[in-house]
Amino acid sequence: MNVTKCGLLLLLTLLIASFGSAQPMASGEDLKKEQATLAKLQKAQVAAKAAFAKKPKDAKTKEAYVAATVKLGTATMVSAALPPKDKYRGALKWYKEALKVDPKNKEAKNNTDMIVSIYKSMGRPVPKV
């Protein structure tokens, strides 16, 4: 495992360990910006999903849907507007949705594996999403 992955793994472990925190990590204007960013990404993902449903055989539409879903998953995972117990569960949901359509998507696969391994290393059950 390289230094970057080790650092990210440590960061995620610490964040997941802080599950007791019920308050979002951001506040005030930062919180509003984070929420607006997540809302914008969710809207883009919904639009991409609808386009993909209409043209499931179109490679570009499929790619756009997977990209929007993974982008939303990553934004959810690192969002300061969400408490850890919500962000990792949400990120897993988005990554698994992307992997259903593109099982070889590296970002979704790597981040899913990382989140699952952190839950397991902490002795916590992996959320069902």
Side-chain angles (χ1 to χ4, degrees):
M1 189 178 296
N2 65 34
V3 176
T4 305
K5 279 191 175 181
C6 288
L8 186 55
L9 186 61
L10 176 61
L11 175 63
L12 287 173
T13 301
L14 292 172
L15 290 172
I16 290 174
S18 67
F19 270 82
S21 171
Q23 295 296 318
M25 297 173 72
S27 61
E29 286 301 312
D30 289 338
L31 178 61
K32 289 179 184 177
K33 287 179 186 176
E34 284 282 333
Q35 290 170 332
T37 297
L38 287 174
K40 180 180 173 183
L41 292 171
Q42 284 178 322
K43 202 176 226 184
Q45 192 274 343
V46 168
K49 186 175 186 175
F52 177 65
K54 290 179 183 177
K55 295 181 180 181
K57 304 259 188 223
D58 183 71
K60 286 187 180 184
T61 305
K62 175 182 173 181
E63 184 179 321
Y65 166 57
V66 171
T69 304
V70 171
K71 188 172 184 177
L72 178 57
T74 301
T76 300
M77 181 174 71
V78 300
S79 176
L82 299 170
K85 68 180 182 177
D86 294 338
K87 66 173 66 180
Y88 302 112
R89 177 184 300 268
L92 277 174
K93 174 188 164 201
W94 297 122
Y95 291 139
K96 287 183 178 186
E97 184 173 324
L99 289 168
K100 285 179 186 175
V101 177
D102 181 6
K104 294 181 181 180
N105 184 283
K106 288 183 181 184
E107 184 176 354
K109 177 80 172 105
N110 290 342
N111 288 344
T112 296
D113 291 346
M114 181 176 50
I115 292 170
V116 167
S117 71
I118 291 169
Y119 274 101
K120 287 180 178 180
S121 73
M122 293 175 58
R124 292 183 181 258
V126 177
K128 303 287 185 211
V129 292

